[in-house]
Amino acid sequence: MRTMCAVVLAFEAVVIALAVPVAIQLGGYSPAVAGGVWGGLAAAALVLAALQRFAWGHYAGWVLQAAFVVSGVLVPGLFVLGIVFAALWVAGVWLGRRTDAIRAAREAGASAGAGTGAAEARRDG
């Protein structure tokens, strides 16, 4: 799950950074404000992509998704992008958990199979 979420955050960082000129042109915000708001969100997304190995980093990713959606209040076109990335985040969490469960089941099966083979070898030996 953490890998999927990190990938979503990395791509989101690029899109949020590209939202700075959009906020300047369409939103009419000064470069300092647009850079501060959306540049800060982009930097946070990049940092959180690297911090997905920690449980709190995952929860902070949820906060970032909410912040990006809320920033759509300032520039309505970015609201749509916020919803898209929030949906990608949910899909990443869902697919990541599913992948982790499949991987854990496969490893448990491999461990059980290896343990059974060793027990049979001891009985035969």
Side-chain angles (χ1 to χ4, degrees):
M1 173 181 70
R2 298 177 197 280
T3 303
M4 296 281 280
C5 291
V7 168
V8 169
L9 286 170
F11 283 118
E12 187 172 9
V14 172
V15 171
I16 295 173
L18 291 171
V20 172
V22 172
I24 293 169
Q25 291 296 316
L26 297 180
Y29 293 99
S30 70
V33 171
V37 173
W38 288 279
L41 284 173
L46 203 55
V47 168
L48 287 175
L51 295 175
Q52 286 302 296
R53 61 184 157 205
F54 302 110
W56 62 267
H58 174 72
Y59 296 112
W62 283 103
V63 173
L64 180 78
Q65 300 309 316
F68 189 33
V69 170
V70 169
S71 77
V73 171
L74 300 174
V75 180
L78 297 179
F79 182 75
V80 174
L81 284 175
I83 295 296
V84 167
F85 273 101
L88 286 172
W89 178 259
V90 170
V93 169
W94 182 72
L95 289 172
R97 285 184 180 164
R98 192 168 166 206
T99 303
D100 290 346
I102 291 169
R103 184 178 299 137
R106 186 176 297 146
E107 289 174 0
S111 297
T116 304
E120 289 175 2
R122 282 187 294 232
R123 277 187 269 152
D124 292 338

